[in-house]
Amino acid sequence: MLKDVQVQVDAWTQQFKIPYWQPLEILARLTEETGELARELNHRFGPKKKKASEDVKDVGDEMGDIIFTLACLANSQRIDLDDCWKRVMDKCYGRDKDRFEKK
Amino acid sequence: MLKDVQVQVDAWTQQFKIPYWQPLEILARLTEETGELARELNHRFGPKKKKASEDVKDVGDEMGDIIFTLACLANSQRIDLDDCWKRVMDKCYGRDKDRFEKK
Amino acid sequence: MLKDVQVQVDAWTQQFKIPYWQPLEILARLTEETGELARELNHRFGPKKKKASEDVKDVGDEMGDIIFTLACLANSQRIDLDDCWKRVMDKCYGRDKDRFEKK
Amino acid sequence: MLKDVQVQVDAWTQQFKIPYWQPLEILARLTEETGELARELNHRFGPKKKKASEDVKDVGDEMGDIIFTLACLANSQRIDLDDCWKRVMDKCYGRDKDRFEKK
């Protein structure tokens, strides 16, 4: 699943002389992209309402940029995001199985 | 690809009375998770070196939590992350095709 | 010290019908402003070098916006930032006094 | 006003061999501290309500840590935060004077 995302990112970045930035540089980019998502969400759901609430395309674009940035960080550090994802799901059904009130 | 992540998250959250928080609440959680990733990266690559650089498992765990949080936001707003991803890749091969120095 | 900042912010915001947003809305704004600072820093010190390193005015502008946002949050919750600051300094000279290698 | 904060931070950091980290390292710390503020705010005002809403001391502590981190960044780059603050206030009474609905 997430492997496909990582492979597609690597195919694009390997065209360039410097395929991946340094970890703290990628983190700064992630902070920037998270900020852009925050701005979109405040425009739509907060006090800065400027946009129709049915139009969530821009929110999705910012989420796409965050996923791209995460894939760069993962590839640069040879981290397998599907493994990470499996551990998240294991935690949900293990440690966090009664975390919220059930239906 | 990302659809599988969204489906797995929904299967877990739909057990609960309140499957998804409000958008700005999910964003606050994303900010928190991004902060935890920042701490891990500073421990490993910055001045707060506490951990062996070969051990990147904790970095991966924080990335998994960020992906989980993004999937919650996407599900709560009926956003298709594979569509968003396709637009990211289109932008890479379109607008950004000469953004960095080629090999 | 920080009291003056809080008083100046309050004098400006009290002109308006809604002087302060809700806490999670202000937090979203803080996330956005932190992202703008990240972009400036990556432009100046990271791989996206676009600007002369001697020109740090834009970095300062983003820091000013962050301080403004913090003052809004503090005022809206009747938090005294000088008290908070005193506790930070007490922590530095107490808990953290040997945290880093001395000269 | 903010000069006092900068002077106090410098007096503490100049005890150490490395008074200030690199800019992207300080930014990573700021991202971490912003995340801790987000967690506190979500505990108090969001769905993760764990704490009495009258107790905002922890929110203030996190804001103090953010101000400390900003002062480190400013000092390391020889940025005068009072100048930055003056420009923020000029923007409020200039560009943004009619930004919100007046009383």
Side-chain angles (χ1 to χ4, degrees):
Chain A
M1 324 187 302
L2 293 161
K3 189 70 188 169
D4 292 333
V5 166
Q6 291 188 255
V7 167
Q8 288 180 39
V9 167
D10 203 58
W12 188 70
T13 60
Q14 292 299 342
Q15 306 173 77
F16 303 110
K17 280 201 174 165
I18 301 174
Y20 296 108
W21 298 347
Q22 294 300 305
L24 295 186
E25 294 168 349
I26 301 177
L27 176 66
R29 180 60 170 268
L30 181 65
T31 301
E32 180 186 343
E33 299 293 358
T34 304
E36 292 184 4
L37 177 61
R39 189 190 54 215
E40 286 302 318
L41 290 173
N42 238 0
H43 278 168
R44 207 169 311 278
F45 303 106
K48 293 176 71 182
K49 281 197 192 82
K50 288 188 184 174
K51 300 181 178 178
S53 59
E54 65 269 30
D55 173 18
V56 290
K57 184 168 168 293
D58 295 339
V59 170
D61 284 348
E62 301 303 342
M63 287 198 280
D65 289 342
I66 290 174
I67 291 167
F68 183 90
T69 309
L70 287 175
C72 288
L73 181 59
N75 286 351
S76 75
Q77 301 303 314
R78 300 176 184 281
I79 290 172
D80 182 316
L81 288 177
D82 284 322
D83 278 355
C84 302
W85 182 250
K86 197 182 168 309
R87 292 202 301 273
V88 170
M89 281 289 107
D90 288 348
K91 191 171 61 175
C92 281
Y93 286 103
R95 189 192 75 179
D96 292 347
K97 74 177 163 25
D98 300 314
R99 186 162 182 190
F100 300 104
E101 194 184 0
K102 292 263 174 82
K103 273 177 182 165
Chain B
M1 324 188 299
L2 293 162
K3 189 71 188 169
D4 292 334
V5 167
Q6 291 189 256
V7 166
Q8 288 180 38
V9 167
D10 204 58
W12 189 71
T13 61
Q14 291 300 341
Q15 307 173 76
F16 303 111
K17 279 201 175 166
I18 301 174
Y20 296 108
W21 298 348
Q22 294 299 305
L24 295 186
E25 294 168 349
I26 301 176
L27 176 66
R29 180 61 170 268
L30 180 66
T31 302
E32 182 186 341
E33 300 292 357
T34 304
E36 293 184 4
L37 177 62
R39 189 190 53 217
E40 287 302 319
L41 290 173
N42 237 1
H43 279 169
R44 205 167 312 278
F45 303 105
K48 293 176 71 182
K49 280 197 194 84
K50 289 187 182 174
K51 299 179 178 179
S53 59
E54 66 270 27
D55 173 17
V56 290
K57 184 168 167 292
D58 295 338
V59 170
D61 284 347
E62 301 303 342
M63 287 198 280
D65 289 341
I66 290 174
I67 292 168
F68 183 89
T69 309
L70 288 175
C72 288
L73 182 59
N75 286 350
S76 76
Q77 302 303 314
R78 300 175 184 283
I79 290 172
D80 182 316
L81 288 177
D82 284 322
D83 278 355
C84 303
W85 182 251
K86 197 182 169 307
R87 291 202 302 275
V88 170
M89 282 289 107
D90 288 347
K91 191 172 60 175
C92 282
Y93 286 102
R95 189 192 74 180
D96 292 346
K97 72 178 165 22
D98 299 315
R99 186 162 181 188
F100 301 104
E101 193 184 0
K102 292 264 174 81
K103 273 177 181 166
Chain C
M1 326 188 299
L2 293 161
K3 189 70 188 169
D4 292 333
V5 166
Q6 292 189 255
V7 167
Q8 288 179 38
V9 167
D10 204 58
W12 188 71
T13 61
Q14 292 299 342
Q15 306 174 76
F16 303 111
K17 280 201 174 165
I18 301 173
Y20 297 107
W21 298 348
Q22 294 300 304
L24 295 187
E25 295 169 348
I26 300 177
L27 176 66
R29 179 61 171 267
L30 181 65
T31 302
E32 182 186 341
E33 300 292 358
T34 304
E36 293 183 3
L37 177 62
R39 189 190 53 216
E40 287 302 319
L41 290 173
N42 237 0
H43 278 170
R44 205 168 312 278
F45 303 105
K48 294 175 71 181
K49 282 198 193 81
K50 289 187 182 174
K51 299 180 179 178
S53 59
E54 66 269 30
D55 173 17
V56 290
K57 183 167 168 291
D58 295 339
V59 170
D61 284 348
E62 301 303 342
M63 287 198 280
D65 288 342
I66 290 175
I67 292 168
F68 183 90
T69 310
L70 288 175
C72 287
L73 181 59
N75 286 350
S76 76
Q77 301 304 314
R78 300 175 183 283
I79 290 171
D80 182 316
L81 288 176
D82 284 322
D83 278 356
C84 302
W85 181 251
K86 196 182 169 309
R87 291 203 301 274
V88 170
M89 281 290 107
D90 288 347
K91 192 171 61 176
C92 281
Y93 286 103
R95 189 192 75 179
D96 292 347
K97 72 179 164 25
D98 299 315
R99 187 162 181 188
F100 300 104
E101 194 184 0
K102 293 263 175 80
K103 273 176 181 167
Chain D
M1 324 186 300
L2 293 161
K3 189 70 188 169
D4 292 334
V5 166
Q6 291 188 256
V7 167
Q8 288 180 38
V9 167
D10 203 58
W12 188 71
T13 60
Q14 291 299 343
Q15 307 174 74
F16 303 110
K17 279 201 175 164
I18 302 174
Y20 296 109
W21 298 347
Q22 294 299 305
L24 294 187
E25 294 168 348
I26 301 177
L27 176 66
R29 180 60 170 267
L30 181 66
T31 301
E32 181 186 342
E33 300 293 357
T34 304
E36 293 184 4
L37 177 62
R39 189 189 55 217
E40 287 302 318
L41 290 173
N42 237 1
H43 278 168
R44 206 168 311 279
F45 303 106
K48 292 176 72 181
K49 281 196 192 83
K50 286 187 183 174
K51 299 181 177 177
S53 59
E54 66 269 29
D55 173 18
V56 290
K57 183 167 168 293
D58 295 339
V59 170
D61 284 349
E62 301 304 341
M63 287 198 280
D65 288 343
I66 290 174
I67 292 167
F68 183 90
T69 310
L70 287 174
C72 288
L73 181 59
N75 286 351
S76 76
Q77 301 304 314
R78 300 176 185 279
I79 290 171
D80 181 316
L81 288 177
D82 284 322
D83 278 356
C84 302
W85 182 251
K86 195 181 169 311
R87 292 203 301 274
V88 170
M89 282 288 108
D90 288 347
K91 190 171 63 175
C92 281
Y93 286 103
R95 188 192 77 178
D96 291 348
K97 74 178 164 22
D98 299 315
R99 186 161 182 190
F100 300 104
E101 192 184 1
K102 292 263 174 81
K103 273 178 182 166

